[in-house]
Amino acid sequence: MSIRHGLLALLDQGPRYGYQLRTEFEARTGATWPLNVGQVYTTLGRLERDGLVQPAGEDGEGHLFYAVTEAGRAELRQWFDTPVPRTNPPRDELAIKLAMAVTVPGVDVQSVVQGQRRHSMKALQDYTRLKGQALVASPEQQGDLAWLLVLEQLIFQTEAEIRWLDHCETRLAQYAARPAPPEPGPAAAPAPKTGPRRRART
């Protein structure tokens, strides 16, 4: 998730200060990826350092506004035009957990899978309910459309996770049903060493 480019996208619509950026970012993503103000200002500092945003004055309450620069707009357009790379997929905690569980003695991997499936099914129900509410509210609003797209991504992602968990359970069952490797037999005694034969004298 690119906070950097998300803030650039918001600033492309006009100058804003940190708390406004945080509020709008969370509103458009349904607070799926909550930000704190410290993250926002740290990112703004880096964007300013890189010449992508610049200070744009203060209001009467002392809020410092930032505006996007032409270089910032160019980077934002490049971000929109460039596919998200899959060459370095993000670390998935669930995949790492299961990979470790199958290699650590004493872990009930089936229980881990079933517990995660219950959790994922509950999350899927919650996302589906929120999607229904979003469709009923005001689907013509762009902010609601943004939240709806995020919700649908979460739904598809969770559905895929549940299918993967089902696959993991099948794979574990297949692995458990494999015939055990044969026990190694007793090692054969090494043949006695013999010296070179002497030729008989004639």
Side-chain angles (χ1 to χ4, degrees):
M1 190 255 314
S2 178
I3 298 173
R4 172 188 180 96
H5 294 100
L7 298 187
L8 283 176
L10 294 172
L11 290 172
D12 190 45
Q13 300 167 55
R16 286 164 171 76
Y17 58 86
Y19 190 79
Q20 285 179 322
L21 289 167
R22 174 200 173 191
T23 302
E24 289 192 37
F25 185 96
E26 292 187 353
R28 298 191 191 197
T29 61
T32 305
W33 301 284
L35 296 179
N36 61 55
V37 174
Q39 279 179 291
V40 172
Y41 280 108
T42 297
T43 305
L44 285 171
R46 291 172 182 161
L47 290 170
E48 183 180 3
R49 177 200 64 195
D50 296 339
L52 304 179
V53 303
Q54 60 188 9
E58 297 183 6
D59 63 9
E61 298 179 359
H63 296 125
L64 176 60
F65 283 75
Y66 288 86
V68 68
T69 64
E70 286 305 314
R73 286 194 175 92
E75 172 150 332
L76 180 62
R77 296 297 174 261
Q78 183 178 10
W79 181 58
F80 282 132
D81 293 340
T82 304
V84 176
R86 301 296 299 174
T87 50
N88 295 308
R91 292 184 180 89
D92 186 293
E93 183 178 354
L94 176 57
I96 293 171
K97 179 188 286 189
L98 289 184
M100 294 299 167
V102 298
T103 60
V104 175
V107 176
D108 186 347
V109 187
Q110 290 282 0
S111 177
V112 175
V113 171
Q114 291 166 6
Q116 184 65 43
R117 184 191 287 107
R118 287 192 297 270
H119 176 82
S120 299
M121 288 296 298
K122 174 65 167 57
L124 181 60
Q125 292 167 0
D126 291 342
Y127 294 148
T128 303
R129 175 177 49 79
L130 289 171
K131 177 183 175 180
Q133 293 173 354
L135 288 171
V136 170
S138 50
E140 72 280 359
Q141 298 295 325
Q142 286 196 353
D144 294 327
L145 175 59
W147 171 219
L148 185 61
L149 292 175
V150 170
L151 268 177
E152 289 174 334
Q153 191 269 349
L154 292 171
I155 289 171
F156 294 148
Q157 190 178 57
T158 308
E159 288 173 339
E161 181 177 281
I162 293 169
R163 289 196 302 271
W164 179 68
L165 288 167
D166 291 340
H167 169 78
C168 288
E169 200 162 41
T170 301
R171 181 70 73 196
L172 289 167
Q174 292 172 344
Y175 190 86
R178 292 188 317 167
E183 291 288 335
K193 293 183 179 179
T194 59
R197 291 184 179 179
R198 294 183 180 179
R199 298 181 68 180
R201 292 183 180 179
T202 56

